[in-house]
């Protein structure tokens, strides 16, 4: 269990956080591993970059097997910068913390430009290393949440019916449903405002626009067309229901 006094922040679950450490110096490798494990993290260490890269390859691990990579630059065989470059080429979003005795501005800039998220110069204290790790993990978690929120905002689902706003696409039980632009906007409006009753006038105002000139029955026509495409039995709809005397309700 992670310590609360000087351990990981409450927003990081150390017991489920996996850290890969790539360091050829056995003493440094063991010291860092022991410190991180004492904080509750799961640590897997490597003495060279090529082996670590194989474990991180999407061809071997489609899902990231690690939440953070601590990477030394001066490694036997494949150098740390090459490992970093290859990971970013594969599209891996794993946060990378470079640790190195090379402390020139050029080294730091090169490491960051090749995809590293932070750069820590040796020698360093274990407390500083831990703080850098926590900061990168929190940043990664925040990014992941932002991505999830973005995906959630883009994707509207109700039962077997899924609408993808960014793609202007609708699927029913995994099969694409061909909708006209007006039908798509009407369904999107309903799915963004479920369980609410919408009058014909309100739908005309919000979907067709304030200056629509025509019969309000056009709403009924479009809803009938929409039901024919998404309902198993359009006469007994599961998605778009009629609330007599008031309008329509989704769900």
């Amino acid at each position: 269990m992670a310590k609360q006094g000087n351990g990981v922040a409450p927003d990081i679950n150390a017991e489920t956080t996996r850290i890969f450490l790539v360091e050829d110096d056995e003493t440094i490798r063991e010291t860092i591993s022991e410190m991180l494990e004492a904080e509750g993290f799961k640590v897997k260490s490597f003495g060279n970059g090529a082996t670590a890269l194989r474990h991180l390859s999407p061809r071997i691990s489609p899902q990231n097997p690690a939440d953070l990579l601590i990477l030394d630059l001066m490694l036997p065989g494949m150098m740390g910068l090459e490992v970093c470059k290859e990971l970013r080429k594969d599209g891996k979003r794993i946060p990378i913390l470079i640790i190195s005795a090379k402390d020139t501005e050029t080294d730091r800039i090169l490491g960051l430009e090749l995809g590293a998220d932070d750069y820590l110069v040796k020698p360093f204290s274990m407390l500083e290393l831990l703080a850098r790790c926590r900061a990168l993990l929190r940043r990664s978690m925040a990014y992941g949440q932002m991505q999830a929120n973005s995906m959630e905002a883009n994707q509207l689902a109700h039962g077997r019916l899924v609408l993808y706003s960014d793609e202007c696409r609708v699927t029913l039980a995994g099969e694409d449903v061909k909708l006209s632009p007006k039908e798509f906007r009407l369904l999107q409006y309903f799915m963004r405002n479920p369980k609410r009753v919408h009058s014909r006038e309100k739908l005309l105002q919000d979907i067709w626009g304030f200056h629509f000139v025509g019969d309000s029955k056009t709403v009924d026509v479009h809803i009938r067309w929409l039901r024919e495409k998404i309902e198993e039995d359009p006469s007994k709809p599961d998605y778009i229901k009629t609330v007599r005397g008031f309008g329509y309700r989704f769900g």
Side-chain angles (χ1 to χ4, degrees):
M1 180 71 77
K3 301 174 225 176
Q4 288 299 316
N6 61 348
V8 294
D11 58 340
I12 299 171
N13 187 347
E15 293 181 347
T16 60
T17 301
R18 305 148 302 174
I19 297 178
F20 275 19
L21 168 64
V22 189
E23 168 63 66
D24 64 320
D25 186 304
E26 186 175 353
T27 300
I28 296 177
R29 189 167 68 243
E30 289 180 356
T31 300
I32 294 176
S33 294
E34 290 173 2
M35 181 273 294
L36 292 172
E37 287 170 351
E39 295 294 328
F41 293 105
K42 296 179 181 297
V43 182
K44 190 173 184 63
S45 60
F46 304 89
N48 64 79
T51 304
L53 192 60
R54 283 197 297 273
H55 281 78
L56 288 165
S57 169
R59 291 176 289 279
I60 297 176
S61 304
Q63 301 298 323
N64 280 345
D67 300 296
L68 173 67
L69 174 64
I70 302 174
L71 178 65
D72 185 21
L73 282 190
M74 304 302 292
L75 296 169
M78 177 180 279
M79 298 289 281
L81 287 179
E82 188 62 26
V83 174
C84 188
K85 183 178 178 181
E86 287 299 314
L87 282 174
R88 292 311 186 221
K89 186 191 300 182
D90 279 338
K92 288 288 188 182
R93 290 297 312 171
I94 178 174
I96 299 175
L97 169 59
I98 285 179
I99 54 175
S100 176
K102 303 178 73 173
D103 63 351
T104 69
E105 184 179 45
T106 301
D107 292 322
R108 292 169 183 261
I109 291 173
L110 182 58
L112 295 171
E113 285 187 343
L114 286 177
D117 298 278
D118 201 355
Y119 194 110
L120 186 57
V121 176
K122 297 176 181 178
F124 48 78
S125 73
M126 290 298 106
L127 286 178
E128 182 176 8
L129 175 65
L130 184 60
R132 299 285 187 104
C133 289
R134 285 202 302 248
L136 287 176
L137 288 167
R138 283 194 296 268
R139 190 187 310 166
S140 179
M141 289 170 61
Y143 177 81
Q145 186 60 54
M146 182 182 68
Q147 292 290 91
N149 291 342
S150 176
M151 183 177 294
E152 185 178 340
N154 172 56
Q155 183 174 310
L156 302 170
H158 185 94
R160 302 184 304 163
L161 185 67
V162 183
L163 183 147
Y164 303 89
S165 297
D166 289 351
E167 303 172 42
C168 294
R169 185 167 67 94
V170 173
T171 63
L172 180 63
E175 299 293 327
D176 283 333
V177 179
K178 302 296 183 184
L179 300 180
S180 70
K182 193 70 72 180
E183 290 166 353
F184 179 87
R185 288 195 289 274
L186 187 59
L187 179 59
Q188 184 183 50
Y189 183 87
F190 275 126
M191 294 183 76
R192 283 179 172 170
N193 302 277
K195 305 297 183 183
R196 294 172 58 184
V197 178
H198 306 280
S199 67
R200 291 190 186 92
E201 292 72 21
K202 178 65 173 172
L203 291 171
L204 282 172
Q205 174 182 299
D206 292 349
I207 305 300
W208 276 261
F210 288 103
H211 305 295
F212 175 79
V213 177
D215 193 339
S216 65
K217 291 292 185 181
T218 190
V219 174
D220 300 334
V221 173
H222 279 80
I223 287 178
R224 185 176 75 247
W225 291 342
L226 192 51
R227 282 173 171 167
E228 289 173 354
K229 295 178 179 181
I230 66 173
E231 302 284 3
E232 185 173 343
D233 182 353
S235 65
K236 298 178 181 178
D238 293 317
Y239 297 113
I240 304 174
K241 299 176 182 179
T242 300
V243 182
R244 298 196 179 281
F246 294 96
Y248 297 97
R249 175 172 60 84
F250 183 86

